[in-house]
Coordinates of all heavy atoms in Angstrom, one line a residue:
M1 N -66.1 -73.4 29.5 CA -65.9 -72.7 28.3 C -64.5 -72.1 28.3 O -64.1 -71.4 29.2 CB -66.9 -71.5 28.1 CG -68.3 -72.0 28.0 SD -69.1 -70.7 27.1 CE -70.4 -71.6 26.4
G2 N -63.7 -72.5 27.3 CA -62.3 -72.0 27.3 C -62.2 -70.7 26.5 O -63.1 -70.3 25.8
N3 N -61.2 -70.0 26.8 CA -60.9 -68.7 26.1 C -60.2 -69.0 24.8 O -59.1 -69.5 24.7 CB -60.0 -67.9 27.0 CG -59.9 -66.4 26.5 OD1 -60.5 -66.1 25.5 ND2 -59.3 -65.6 27.3
A4 N -60.9 -68.6 23.7 CA -60.4 -68.9 22.4 C -59.2 -68.0 22.0 O -58.3 -68.3 21.2 CB -61.5 -68.7 21.3
H5 N -59.1 -66.8 22.7 CA -58.0 -65.9 22.4 C -56.7 -66.3 22.9 O -55.7 -65.9 22.4 CB -58.4 -64.5 22.9 CG -59.6 -63.9 22.2 ND1 -59.5 -63.6 20.9 CD2 -60.8 -63.6 22.7 CE1 -60.7 -63.1 20.5 NE2 -61.5 -63.1 21.6
S6 N -56.7 -67.1 24.0 CA -55.4 -67.5 24.5 C -54.7 -68.6 23.7 O -53.5 -68.7 23.8 CB -55.7 -68.1 26.0 OG -56.5 -69.2 25.9
T7 N -55.4 -69.4 22.9 CA -54.8 -70.4 22.1 C -54.3 -69.9 20.7 O -53.4 -70.5 20.2 CB -55.8 -71.6 21.8 OG1 -56.9 -71.0 21.2 CG2 -56.2 -72.2 23.2
S8 N -54.9 -68.8 20.2 CA -54.4 -68.3 18.9 C -53.5 -67.2 19.1 O -53.4 -66.5 20.1 CB -55.6 -67.9 18.0 OG -56.2 -66.8 18.7
A9 N -52.7 -66.9 18.0 CA -51.7 -65.9 18.1 C -52.5 -64.5 18.0 O -53.4 -64.4 17.3 CB -50.7 -66.0 16.9
S10 N -51.9 -63.6 18.6 CA -52.5 -62.2 18.6 C -52.2 -61.5 17.3 O -51.1 -61.7 16.8 CB -52.0 -61.4 19.8 OG -52.3 -60.1 19.7
P11 N -53.1 -60.7 16.8 CA -52.8 -59.9 15.6 C -51.7 -59.0 15.8 O -50.9 -58.7 14.9 CB -54.1 -59.2 15.3 CG -55.2 -60.0 16.0 CD -54.5 -60.6 17.2
L12 N -51.5 -58.5 17.1 CA -50.4 -57.6 17.4 C -49.1 -58.3 17.3 O -48.1 -57.7 16.8 CB -50.6 -57.0 18.8 CG -49.6 -55.9 19.2 CD1 -49.6 -54.8 18.2 CD2 -49.8 -55.5 20.6
T13 N -49.0 -59.5 17.7 CA -47.8 -60.3 17.5 C -47.4 -60.5 16.1 O -46.3 -60.4 15.7 CB -48.0 -61.7 18.2 OG1 -48.4 -61.5 19.6 CG2 -46.7 -62.5 18.2
D14 N -48.5 -60.8 15.3 CA -48.2 -60.9 13.8 C -47.7 -59.6 13.2 O -46.8 -59.6 12.4 CB -49.5 -61.4 13.1 CG -49.9 -62.8 13.4 OD1 -49.0 -63.5 13.9 OD2 -51.1 -63.1 13.2
L15 N -48.3 -58.5 13.7 CA -47.9 -57.2 13.2 C -46.4 -56.9 13.6 O -45.6 -56.4 12.7 CB -48.8 -56.1 13.7 CG -48.5 -54.7 13.3 CD1 -48.7 -54.5 11.8 CD2 -49.3 -53.7 14.1
V16 N -46.1 -57.1 14.8 CA -44.7 -56.9 15.2 C -43.7 -57.8 14.5 O -42.6 -57.4 14.1 CB -44.6 -57.1 16.8 CG1 -43.1 -57.0 17.2 CG2 -45.4 -56.0 17.5
F17 N -44.1 -59.1 14.3 CA -43.2 -60.0 13.6 C -43.0 -59.5 12.2 O -41.9 -59.5 11.6 CB -43.7 -61.4 13.7 CG -42.9 -62.4 12.9 CD1 -41.6 -62.7 13.4 CD2 -43.3 -62.9 11.7 CE1 -40.8 -63.6 12.7 CE2 -42.5 -63.8 11.0 CZ -41.3 -64.2 11.5
G18 N -44.2 -59.2 11.5 CA -44.1 -58.7 10.1 C -43.3 -57.4 10.0 O -42.5 -57.3 9.0
A19 N -43.4 -56.5 10.9 CA -42.6 -55.3 10.9 C -41.1 -55.6 11.0 O -40.3 -55.0 10.4 CB -43.0 -54.3 11.9
S20 N -40.8 -56.6 11.9 CA -39.3 -56.9 12.1 C -38.8 -57.6 10.8 O -37.6 -57.6 10.6 CB -39.2 -57.7 13.3 OG -39.7 -59.0 13.1
V21 N -39.6 -58.3 10.1 CA -39.1 -59.0 8.9 C -39.0 -58.1 7.7 O -38.0 -58.1 7.0 CB -40.1 -60.2 8.6 CG1 -39.7 -60.8 7.2 CG2 -40.0 -61.3 9.7
Y22 N -40.0 -57.3 7.4 CA -40.1 -56.5 6.2 C -39.5 -55.1 6.2 O -39.0 -54.6 5.3 CB -41.5 -56.4 5.7 CG -42.1 -57.7 5.3 CD1 -43.1 -58.3 6.0 CD2 -41.5 -58.4 4.2 CE1 -43.6 -59.6 5.6 CE2 -42.0 -59.7 3.9 CZ -43.1 -60.2 4.5 OH -43.5 -61.4 4.2
F23 N -39.6 -54.4 7.3 CA -39.1 -53.0 7.4 C -37.6 -52.8 7.5 O -37.1 -52.0 6.8 CB -39.8 -52.2 8.5 CG -41.3 -52.0 8.2 CD1 -42.2 -52.0 9.2 CD2 -41.7 -51.8 6.9 CE1 -43.5 -51.7 8.9 CE2 -43.0 -51.5 6.6 CZ -44.0 -51.5 7.7
P24 N -36.9 -53.6 8.2 CA -35.4 -53.4 8.3 C -34.7 -53.5 7.0 O -33.9 -52.6 6.7 CB -35.0 -54.4 9.3 CG -36.1 -54.6 10.2 CD -37.3 -54.5 9.3
P25 N -35.0 -54.4 6.1 CA -34.2 -54.4 4.8 C -34.5 -53.2 4.0 O -33.6 -52.6 3.4 CB -34.7 -55.7 4.1 CG -35.2 -56.6 5.2 CD -35.8 -55.7 6.2
L26 N -35.7 -52.7 4.0 CA -36.1 -51.5 3.3 C -35.4 -50.3 3.9 O -34.8 -49.4 3.2 CB -37.6 -51.2 3.3 CG -38.1 -50.1 2.4 CD1 -37.7 -50.2 1.0 CD2 -39.6 -49.9 2.6
F27 N -35.3 -50.2 5.2 CA -34.6 -49.1 5.9 C -33.1 -49.2 5.6 O -32.5 -48.1 5.4 CB -34.9 -49.3 7.4 CG -34.3 -48.2 8.2 CD1 -34.8 -46.9 8.1 CD2 -33.2 -48.4 9.1 CE1 -34.2 -45.8 8.9 CE2 -32.7 -47.4 9.8 CZ -33.2 -46.1 9.7
K28 N -32.6 -50.4 5.6 CA -31.2 -50.5 5.3 C -30.9 -50.0 3.8 O -29.9 -49.4 3.6 CB -30.7 -51.9 5.5 CG -30.6 -52.4 6.9 CD -30.2 -53.9 6.9 CE -30.4 -54.5 8.3 NZ -30.1 -55.9 8.3
A29 N -31.8 -50.4 2.9 CA -31.6 -50.0 1.5 C -31.7 -48.5 1.4 O -30.9 -47.9 0.6 CB -32.7 -50.7 0.7
V30 N -32.6 -47.8 2.1 CA -32.7 -46.4 2.0 C -31.5 -45.7 2.6 O -30.9 -44.8 2.0 CB -34.0 -45.9 2.7 CG1 -34.0 -44.4 2.9 CG2 -35.2 -46.3 2.0
L31 N -31.0 -46.2 3.7 CA -29.7 -45.6 4.2 C -28.5 -45.8 3.3 O -27.8 -44.9 3.1 CB -29.5 -46.2 5.6 CG -30.2 -45.6 6.8 CD1 -29.9 -46.3 8.1 CD2 -30.0 -44.2 6.9
L32 N -28.4 -47.0 2.8 CA -27.3 -47.3 1.9 C -27.4 -46.5 0.6 O -26.4 -46.0 0.1 CB -27.2 -48.8 1.7 CG -26.0 -49.3 0.9 CD1 -24.7 -49.0 1.7 CD2 -26.1 -50.8 0.7
G33 N -28.6 -46.5 0.1 CA -28.9 -45.7 -1.1 C -28.6 -44.2 -0.9 O -28.1 -43.5 -1.8
F34 N -28.9 -43.7 0.3 CA -28.6 -42.3 0.6 C -27.1 -42.0 0.6 O -26.7 -41.0 0.0 CB -29.2 -41.9 1.9 CG -28.9 -40.5 2.3 CD1 -29.5 -39.4 1.6 CD2 -28.1 -40.2 3.4 CE1 -29.2 -38.1 2.0 CE2 -27.8 -38.9 3.8 CZ -28.4 -37.8 3.1
F35 N -26.3 -43.0 1.1 CA -24.9 -42.8 1.1 C -24.3 -42.9 -0.3 O -23.4 -42.2 -0.7 CB -24.2 -43.8 2.0 CG -24.4 -43.4 3.5 CD1 -25.0 -44.3 4.3 CD2 -23.9 -42.2 4.0 CE1 -25.2 -43.9 5.7 CE2 -24.1 -41.8 5.3 CZ -24.8 -42.7 6.1
F36 N -24.9 -43.8 -1.1 CA -24.5 -43.9 -2.6 C -24.8 -42.5 -3.3 O -24.0 -42.0 -4.0 CB -25.2 -45.0 -3.3 CG -24.7 -46.4 -3.0 CD1 -25.4 -47.5 -3.2 CD2 -23.4 -46.6 -2.4 CE1 -24.9 -48.8 -2.9 CE2 -22.9 -47.8 -2.2 CZ -23.7 -48.9 -2.4
W37 N -26.0 -42.0 -3.0 CA -26.4 -40.7 -3.6 C -25.5 -39.6 -3.1 O -25.2 -38.7 -3.9 CB -27.9 -40.4 -3.2 CG -28.4 -39.2 -3.7 CD1 -28.9 -39.0 -5.0 CD2 -28.5 -37.9 -3.1 NE1 -29.3 -37.7 -5.1 CE2 -29.0 -37.0 -4.0 CE3 -28.1 -37.5 -1.8 CZ2 -29.2 -35.7 -3.6 CZ3 -28.3 -36.1 -1.5 CH2 -28.9 -35.3 -2.4
L38 N -25.1 -39.6 -1.9 CA -24.1 -38.6 -1.4 C -22.8 -38.7 -2.1 O -22.1 -37.7 -2.3 CB -23.9 -38.7 0.1 CG -25.0 -38.2 1.0 CD1 -24.6 -38.5 2.5 CD2 -25.2 -36.7 0.8
L39 N -22.4 -39.9 -2.6 CA -21.2 -40.0 -3.3 C -21.3 -39.6 -4.8 O -20.4 -39.0 -5.3 CB -20.7 -41.5 -3.2 CG -20.2 -42.0 -1.9 CD1 -19.9 -43.5 -1.9 CD2 -19.0 -41.2 -1.4
I40 N -22.4 -39.9 -5.4 CA -22.6 -39.7 -6.8 C -23.1 -38.3 -7.1 O -22.7 -37.7 -8.1 CB -23.7 -40.7 -7.4 CG1 -23.1 -42.1 -7.3 CG2 -24.1 -40.4 -8.8 CD1 -24.0 -43.2 -7.7
H41 N -23.9 -37.7 -6.2 CA -24.5 -36.4 -6.5 C -23.5 -35.3 -6.7 O -23.7 -34.5 -7.7 CB -25.5 -36.0 -5.4 CG -26.2 -34.8 -5.6 ND1 -25.9 -33.6 -5.0 CD2 -27.3 -34.5 -6.4 CE1 -26.6 -32.6 -5.4 NE2 -27.5 -33.1 -6.3
P42 N -22.5 -35.1 -5.9 CA -21.5 -34.1 -6.2 C -20.8 -34.2 -7.5 O -20.4 -33.2 -8.1 CB -20.5 -34.2 -5.0 CG -21.2 -34.9 -4.0 CD -22.2 -35.8 -4.6
L43 N -20.6 -35.5 -8.0 CA -20.0 -35.7 -9.3 C -20.8 -35.2 -10.4 O -20.3 -34.8 -11.5 CB -19.6 -37.2 -9.4 CG -18.7 -37.7 -8.4 CD1 -18.6 -39.2 -8.6 CD2 -17.3 -37.1 -8.5
L44 N -22.1 -35.3 -10.3 CA -23.1 -35.0 -11.4 C -23.8 -33.6 -11.2 O -24.6 -33.2 -12.0 CB -24.1 -36.1 -11.5 CG -23.6 -37.5 -11.9 CD1 -24.7 -38.5 -11.9 CD2 -22.9 -37.4 -13.2
R45 N -23.5 -32.9 -10.1 CA -24.2 -31.7 -9.8 C -24.1 -30.7 -10.8 O -25.1 -30.0 -11.2 CB -23.7 -31.2 -8.4 CG -24.5 -29.9 -8.0 CD -24.0 -29.4 -6.7 NE -24.0 -30.4 -5.7 CZ -23.2 -30.4 -4.6 NH1 -22.3 -29.4 -4.5 NH2 -23.2 -31.3 -3.7
N46 N -22.9 -30.4 -11.4 CA -22.8 -29.4 -12.4 C -23.5 -29.7 -13.7 O -24.1 -28.8 -14.3 CB -21.3 -29.2 -12.7 CG -20.5 -28.6 -11.6 OD1 -21.1 -27.8 -10.8 ND2 -19.2 -28.9 -11.5
W47 N -23.6 -31.0 -14.1 CA -24.3 -31.4 -15.3 C -25.8 -31.3 -15.0 O -26.5 -30.9 -15.9 CB -23.9 -32.8 -15.7 CG -24.7 -33.3 -16.8 CD1 -24.6 -32.9 -18.1 CD2 -25.6 -34.4 -16.8 NE1 -25.5 -33.6 -18.9 CE2 -26.1 -34.5 -18.1 CE3 -26.1 -35.2 -15.8 CZ2 -27.0 -35.5 -18.4 CZ3 -27.0 -36.2 -16.1 CH2 -27.5 -36.3 -17.4
I48 N -26.2 -31.7 -13.8 CA -27.7 -31.7 -13.5 C -28.2 -30.3 -13.6 O -29.3 -30.0 -14.1 CB -28.0 -32.4 -12.2 CG1 -27.7 -33.9 -12.3 CG2 -29.4 -32.1 -11.7 CD1 -27.8 -34.6 -10.9
Y49 N -27.5 -29.3 -13.0 CA -28.0 -28.0 -12.8 C -27.5 -27.0 -13.9 O -27.6 -25.8 -13.8 CB -27.7 -27.4 -11.5 CG -28.4 -28.2 -10.4 CD1 -27.8 -29.0 -9.5 CD2 -29.8 -28.1 -10.2 CE1 -28.4 -29.7 -8.5 CE2 -30.5 -28.8 -9.3 CZ -29.8 -29.6 -8.4 OH -30.5 -30.3 -7.5
S50 N -26.9 -27.6 -15.0 CA -26.4 -26.7 -16.0 C -27.4 -26.1 -17.0 O -27.1 -25.2 -17.7 CB -25.3 -27.5 -16.9 OG -26.0 -28.5 -17.6
G51 N -28.6 -26.7 -17.0 CA -29.6 -26.2 -17.9 C -29.9 -27.2 -19.0 O -30.9 -27.0 -19.8
E52 N -29.1 -28.2 -19.2 CA -29.3 -29.2 -20.2 C -30.5 -30.1 -19.9 O -31.1 -30.7 -20.8 CB -28.1 -30.1 -20.4 CG -26.9 -29.3 -21.0 CD -25.7 -30.3 -21.1 OE1 -25.9 -31.5 -21.3 OE2 -24.6 -29.8 -21.0
I53 N -30.8 -30.3 -18.6 CA -31.8 -31.1 -18.1 C -33.1 -30.3 -18.0 O -33.1 -29.2 -17.4 CB -31.4 -31.8 -16.8 CG1 -30.1 -32.5 -16.8 CG2 -32.5 -32.7 -16.3 CD1 -30.0 -33.6 -17.8
W54 N -34.2 -30.9 -18.4 CA -35.5 -30.2 -18.3 C -35.9 -29.8 -16.9 O -36.2 -28.7 -16.6 CB -36.6 -31.0 -19.0 CG -38.0 -30.4 -18.8 CD1 -38.4 -29.3 -19.4 CD2 -39.0 -30.9 -18.0 NE1 -39.7 -29.1 -18.9 CE2 -40.1 -30.1 -18.1 CE3 -39.1 -32.0 -17.1 CZ2 -41.3 -30.3 -17.4 CZ3 -40.3 -32.2 -16.5 CH2 -41.4 -31.4 -16.6
H55 N -35.8 -30.8 -16.0 CA -36.2 -30.6 -14.6 C -35.1 -31.2 -13.7 O -35.2 -32.4 -13.4 CB -37.6 -31.1 -14.3 CG -38.3 -30.5 -13.2 ND1 -37.8 -30.5 -11.9 CD2 -39.3 -29.7 -13.2 CE1 -38.6 -29.9 -11.1 NE2 -39.6 -29.3 -11.9
P56 N -34.2 -30.4 -13.2 CA -33.1 -31.0 -12.4 C -33.6 -31.7 -11.1 O -32.9 -32.7 -10.7 CB -32.2 -29.8 -12.1 CG -32.8 -28.6 -12.7 CD -34.1 -29.0 -13.4
T57 N -34.6 -31.2 -10.5 CA -35.1 -31.8 -9.3 C -35.6 -33.2 -9.5 O -35.4 -34.1 -8.7 CB -36.2 -31.0 -8.6 OG1 -35.7 -29.6 -8.5 CG2 -36.5 -31.5 -7.2
L58 N -36.3 -33.4 -10.6 CA -36.8 -34.8 -10.9 C -35.7 -35.7 -11.2 O -35.7 -36.9 -10.9 CB -37.8 -34.7 -12.1 CG -39.1 -34.1 -11.8 CD1 -39.9 -34.0 -13.1 CD2 -39.8 -34.8 -10.8
L59 N -34.6 -35.2 -11.9 CA -33.5 -36.1 -12.2 C -32.7 -36.4 -10.9 O -32.3 -37.5 -10.7 CB -32.5 -35.4 -13.2 CG -31.3 -36.2 -13.5 CD1 -31.7 -37.4 -14.3 CD2 -30.3 -35.4 -14.3
D60 N -32.7 -35.4 -10.0 CA -32.0 -35.7 -8.7 C -32.8 -36.7 -7.9 O -32.2 -37.6 -7.3 CB -31.9 -34.4 -8.0 CG -30.8 -34.3 -7.0 OD1 -29.9 -35.2 -7.1 OD2 -30.8 -33.4 -6.2
L61 N -34.1 -36.6 -7.9 CA -34.9 -37.6 -7.2 C -34.8 -39.0 -7.9 O -34.8 -40.0 -7.2 CB -36.4 -37.1 -7.2 CG -37.4 -38.0 -6.4 CD1 -37.0 -38.0 -5.0 CD2 -38.8 -37.5 -6.6
S62 N -34.8 -39.0 -9.2 CA -34.7 -40.3 -9.8 C -33.4 -40.9 -9.6 O -33.2 -42.1 -9.5 CB -35.0 -40.2 -11.3 OG -34.0 -39.4 -11.9
L63 N -32.3 -40.1 -9.5 CA -31.0 -40.6 -9.2 C -31.0 -41.2 -7.8 O -30.4 -42.3 -7.5 CB -30.0 -39.5 -9.2 CG -28.5 -39.8 -9.0 CD1 -28.0 -40.8 -10.0 CD2 -27.7 -38.6 -8.9
F64 N -31.7 -40.6 -6.8 CA -31.8 -41.1 -5.5 C -32.6 -42.5 -5.5 O -32.2 -43.4 -4.8 CB -32.5 -40.1 -4.6 CG -32.8 -40.6 -3.2 CD1 -31.7 -40.8 -2.3 CD2 -34.0 -41.0 -2.8 CE1 -31.9 -41.3 -1.0 CE2 -34.3 -41.5 -1.5 CZ -33.2 -41.6 -0.6
I65 N -33.7 -42.5 -6.2 CA -34.4 -43.8 -6.3 C -33.6 -44.9 -7.0 O -33.6 -46.1 -6.5 CB -35.7 -43.6 -7.1 CG1 -36.6 -42.6 -6.4 CG2 -36.5 -44.9 -7.4 CD1 -37.1 -43.0 -5.0
L66 N -32.8 -44.6 -8.0 CA -31.9 -45.6 -8.6 C -30.9 -46.0 -7.6 O -30.5 -47.2 -7.5 CB -31.2 -45.0 -9.8 CG -32.1 -44.9 -11.0 CD1 -31.4 -44.1 -12.1 CD2 -32.6 -46.2 -11.5
C67 N -30.4 -45.1 -6.7 CA -29.4 -45.5 -5.7 C -30.0 -46.4 -4.7 O -29.4 -47.4 -4.2 CB -28.8 -44.3 -5.0 SG -27.7 -43.4 -6.1
V68 N -31.2 -46.1 -4.3 CA -31.9 -47.0 -3.3 C -32.2 -48.4 -3.9 O -32.0 -49.4 -3.3 CB -33.2 -46.3 -2.8 CG1 -34.1 -47.3 -2.0 CG2 -32.9 -45.1 -2.0
S69 N -32.6 -48.4 -5.2 CA -32.9 -49.7 -5.8 C -31.6 -50.5 -6.0 O -31.7 -51.7 -5.8 CB -33.5 -49.4 -7.2 OG -34.7 -48.7 -7.1
A70 N -30.5 -49.8 -6.3 CA -29.3 -50.6 -6.5 C -28.8 -51.1 -5.1 O -28.3 -52.2 -5.0 CB -28.2 -49.6 -7.1
S71 N -29.0 -50.3 -4.1 CA -28.6 -50.8 -2.8 C -29.4 -51.9 -2.3 O -28.9 -52.8 -1.6 CB -28.5 -49.6 -1.8 OG -29.9 -49.2 -1.5
L72 N -30.7 -51.9 -2.6 CA -31.6 -53.0 -2.2 C -31.2 -54.3 -3.0 O -31.1 -55.4 -2.4 CB -33.1 -52.7 -2.5 CG -34.1 -53.8 -2.1 CD1 -34.0 -54.0 -0.6 CD2 -35.5 -53.4 -2.6
W73 N -30.9 -54.1 -4.2 CA -30.4 -55.3 -5.0 C -29.1 -55.8 -4.5 O -28.9 -57.0 -4.3 CB -30.2 -54.9 -6.5 CG -29.7 -56.0 -7.3 CD1 -30.3 -57.0 -7.9 CD2 -28.3 -56.1 -7.7 NE1 -29.5 -57.8 -8.6 CE2 -28.2 -57.3 -8.5 CE3 -27.1 -55.4 -7.5 CZ2 -27.0 -57.7 -9.0 CZ3 -25.9 -55.9 -8.0 CH2 -25.9 -57.0 -8.8
L74 N -28.2 -54.9 -4.1 CA -26.9 -55.3 -3.5 C -27.1 -56.0 -2.2 O -26.4 -57.0 -1.9 CB -26.0 -54.0 -3.3 CG -24.6 -54.2 -2.9 CD1 -23.8 -54.9 -4.0 CD2 -24.0 -52.9 -2.6
L75 N -28.0 -55.5 -1.4 CA -28.3 -56.2 -0.1 C -28.9 -57.6 -0.3 O -28.6 -58.5 0.4 CB -29.2 -55.4 0.8 CG -28.6 -54.1 1.4 CD1 -29.7 -53.3 2.1 CD2 -27.6 -54.5 2.4
L76 N -29.7 -57.7 -1.3 CA -30.3 -59.0 -1.6 C -29.3 -60.0 -2.2 O -29.3 -61.2 -1.9 CB -31.5 -58.9 -2.6 CG -32.7 -58.2 -2.0 CD1 -33.7 -58.0 -3.1 CD2 -33.3 -59.1 -0.9
V77 N -28.3 -59.6 -3.0 CA -27.3 -60.4 -3.6 C -26.3 -60.9 -2.5 O -25.9 -62.0 -2.5 CB -26.6 -59.7 -4.7 CG1 -25.4 -60.5 -5.2 CG2 -27.6 -59.6 -5.9
I78 N -25.9 -59.9 -1.7 CA -24.9 -60.2 -0.7 C -25.4 -61.1 0.4 O -24.8 -62.1 0.8 CB -24.3 -58.9 -0.1 CG1 -23.5 -58.2 -1.1 CG2 -23.5 -59.2 1.2 CD1 -23.0 -56.9 -0.7
V79 N -26.6 -60.8 0.9 CA -27.2 -61.6 2.1 C -27.9 -62.8 1.6 O -28.1 -63.5 1.0 CB -28.1 -60.7 2.9 CG1 -28.8 -61.5 4.0 CG2 -27.4 -59.5 3.4

């Protein structure tokens, strides 16, 4: 009787391979988006917190999400 587990791929191997394929681009996009946000946020800070915006924290968070989305798009177009 042969061992069936030795011939098939381990689920742990699939998990490690999947993590190496899918997580680094997202991590790169978050880091690049954070740096974009660090560049844009000081330019818009006075307008965001001036009282014209209903909820400045939500606008700030949405600005961060837009920066991450733009950086992911930029990474996909370049690479």
Side-chain angles (χ1 to χ4, degrees):
M1 296 203 153
N3 190 356
H5 294 295
S6 64
T7 58
S8 64
S10 170
L12 184 60
T13 305
D14 292 340
L15 179 67
V16 170
F17 178 71
S20 68
V21 169
Y22 292 116
F23 288 146
L26 184 61
F27 184 68
K28 290 177 191 176
V30 170
L31 280 179
L32 188 61
F34 179 68
F35 287 118
F36 284 161
W37 180 81
L38 282 177
L39 293 172
I40 294 173
H41 183 259
L43 300 173
L44 299 176
R45 184 182 303 152
N46 291 334
W47 176 66
I48 291 173
Y49 295 109
S50 68
E52 294 179 29
I53 307 298
W54 172 70
H55 206 293
T57 307
L58 289 177
L59 181 65
D60 208 15
L61 183 63
S62 64
L63 182 66
F64 176 72
I65 296 300
L66 286 173
C67 287
V68 170
S69 300
S71 66
L72 182 62
W73 177 80
L74 189 67
L75 286 172
L76 289 174
V77 168
I78 289 175
V79 176

